[in-house]
Amino acid sequence: MKDEEIITLILQGKSELYSILIDRYSGKIFSTAYSYTHDHEEARDLVQEILIKVYNNLAKFKADSKFSTWLYRVAVNSCIDWNRKSNSRILKVAFSSEDNDVFDTIMDESDGPEQALLNNEHKELIRSVVKQMPEIYKTVLILYYFEDLKIQEISNVLDCPKKTVETRLYRAKGILKAQLKQELSGGDSYELQTI
Amino acid sequence: MNCKLYKDMLHSYEKDELDETEKIQVSKHLESCEACRSELTEIRKLRQLMGALKPEGFQLGDMKQSIMSAIQSGKKRLPAYDIKVLAKLGASMVACGIIALALSFTDLGDGIALYAGQISQRLENTESRWNQPITLINKGLSNMSDTIVNLDGMMFKIQQKIEGGM
Ligand SMILES: [Zn+2]
């Protein structure tokens, strides 16, 4: 059954069908939430909060957009709220002139086929750098790279033009790269002011 | 078009979201521009890297049950309310001819909002039926607790409005 059909039935009183949507989307919401919190328990709490919020607002869902888009919007907004309440570290970025490829470094050091065999230290590093990114860059990175959404979908979720998403992604990748480089080399950092 | 414009388009190019004309333009540019080629390679590497970073160990477990019971009873856990916000709410409810009171039942573990008017009426009714069979009194009490649950749901919605949620 399609999401939209399920929602129609729920709104007609079959609230038990919501469990299908929970099965369908809780994993995705968890992975998004985890990218913000970097903490299992906090992410679980967020998933629960988001799914209850979504249910309570189902009547406001307009069938002219995809349910998943709307769901991501609620999820991202909740994660950003969480982020503002929690004391996140301020990002500092090093601007380095050397141009060795930091993504290569990370991949070369992982001992195996590219997929899934990153060493744990690097996984932690990437996750924590993403977590510390300024909100507007973090969100597009998470949706494009972790959640594998298309630019068009991200632009629907964030309700901003595709061009804006593209520009943010380009900058976000640059920041991520610079920050990874800095963490890997242990170099000095400078307050991020130029973006 | 300069390089910067192409660079911005590469994330779309990678997920095949450009229109035909743009796609051809970017492809042509990539043939001649080393910088943009390496930019695209980076995007692909980063997709691989981050794609391999899915968090492990998420199991729905009993969360599903607690979400379902939360939504089916209409009873949600209430966040702690700011007293000023409550005061404002109170004022607007008085304006609607309703008096709102927030009571904290610490032994229930949850803050529960009650409409004082309705509840006291129910209490009076219950008292006036004191000489009625105990089943009737129980029914009165259970109606009252339904009201509490409904109000709880309302407060949750109001809270969402305050937070400027969806
Ligand atoms: Zn170029």
Side-chain angles (χ1 to χ4, degrees), chain B residues 1-4 6-7 10 29-30 32-37 39:
Chain B
M1 239 197 307
N2 67 33
C3 240
K4 170 72 177 78
Y6 286 114
K7 280 187 172 139
L10 291 175
H29 178 77
L30 281 169
S32 64
C33 180
E34 170 76 37
C36 283
R37 274 206 303 277
E39 195 67 37

Side-chain angles (χ1 to χ4, degrees), chain B residues 74 78 81 112-116 118-119 144-158:
Chain B
L78 276 177
Y81 289 104
I112 299 179
L114 305 176
Y115 276 50
Q118 279 191 38
I119 294 299
M144 197 163 89
S145 78
D146 283 349
T147 306
I148 294 172
V149 169
N150 289 340
L151 290 167
D152 191 339
M154 270 192 75
M155 289 306 284
F156 186 79
K157 281 178 194 149
I158 291 167

Side-chain angles (χ1 to χ4, degrees), chain A residues 15-16 18-19 22-23 26-27 30-31 34 40 44 47-48 51-53 55-57 60 74 101 103-104 106-107 114-116 118 123 126-127 130 144-152 162-163 166-167 169-170 173 176-177, chain B residues 4-5 7-18 22 38-39 42-64 66-68 70-72 76 156-157 160-161 163 165-166:
Chain A
S15 61
E16 69 277 8
Y18 194 59
S19 69
I22 297 178
D23 286 334
S26 54
F30 177 78
S31 108
Y34 187 79
H40 226 84
R44 281 187 76 87
V47 172
Q48 179 152 340
L51 285 169
I52 291 176
K53 207 183 225 179
Y55 179 86
N56 285 325
N57 287 277
K60 289 186 202 155
V74 177
D101 192 327
F103 301 144
D104 270 339
I106 290 179
M107 287 174 102
E114 310 85 308
Q115 285 290 322
L118 284 168
K123 282 188 190 177
I126 294 177
R127 282 213 168 274
V130 169
Y144 186 92
Y145 285 102
F146 283 139
E147 300 308 315
D148 202 21
L149 295 194
K150 296 210 160 212
I151 305 265
Q152 180 62 63
K162 277 173 82 172
K163 282 285 157 215
E166 288 176 330
T167 309
L169 271 169
Y170 175 68
K173 185 171 69 63
L176 178 65
K177 195 176 157 186
Chain B
K4 170 72 177 78
L5 288 173
K7 280 187 172 139
D8 272 354
M9 291 161 85
L10 291 175
H11 278 95
S12 291
Y13 181 80
E14 165 68 4
K15 290 201 178 170
D16 198 15
E17 294 186 74
L18 296 177
E22 291 172 321
S38 76
E39 195 67 37
E42 273 186 10
I43 291 173
R44 290 183 177 157
K45 275 184 203 158
L46 193 54
R47 280 187 79 186
Q48 264 190 333
L49 277 175
M50 289 175 76
L53 278 184
K54 287 273 165 202
E56 287 152 31
F58 172 69
Q59 275 170 348
L60 198 47
D62 54 6
M63 189 200 291
K64 182 155 140 184
S66 59
I67 294 172
M68 289 309 288
I71 64 178
Q72 284 180 327
K76 295 120 211 137
F156 186 79
K157 281 178 194 149
Q160 284 182 330
K161 283 238 166 71
E163 288 172 351
M166 304 167 306

Side-chain angles (χ1 to χ4, degrees), chain A residues 179-195:
Chain A
Q179 187 68 6
L180 284 173
K181 218 181 255 182
Q182 186 218 318
E183 297 281 341
L184 287 172
S185 68
D188 287 331
S189 61
Y190 306 91
E191 284 288 349
L192 181 67
Q193 282 169 336
T194 51
I195 49 166

Side-chain angles (χ1 to χ4, degrees), chain A residues 25 47 62 64 84 89 91-92 95 98 163 174 191:
Chain A
Y25 290 106
V47 172
K62 300 197 177 50
D64 56 355
R84 286 178 185 159
R89 212 181 80 173
L91 177 75
K92 294 178 174 186
F95 295 97
E98 49 181 324
K163 282 285 157 215
E191 284 288 349

Side-chain angles (χ1 to χ4, degrees), chain A residues 1-59:
Chain A
M1 215 181 340
K2 284 165 91 178
D3 293 346
E4 289 72 18
E5 294 168 334
I6 295 173
I7 292 166
T8 307
L9 291 171
I10 293 173
L11 291 174
Q12 286 167 2
K14 293 195 184 303
S15 61
E16 69 277 8
L17 294 182
Y18 194 59
S19 69
I20 302 175
L21 296 178
I22 297 178
D23 286 334
R24 237 171 241 183
Y25 290 106
S26 54
K28 283 181 190 199
I29 299 173
F30 177 78
S31 108
T32 304
Y34 187 79
S35 304
Y36 283 87
T37 64
H38 206 179
D39 177 287
H40 226 84
E41 280 310 307
E42 298 271 14
R44 281 187 76 87
D45 286 350
L46 267 170
V47 172
Q48 179 152 340
E49 181 191 315
I50 291 163
L51 285 169
I52 291 176
K53 207 183 225 179
V54 163
Y55 179 86
N56 285 325
N57 287 277
L58 268 187

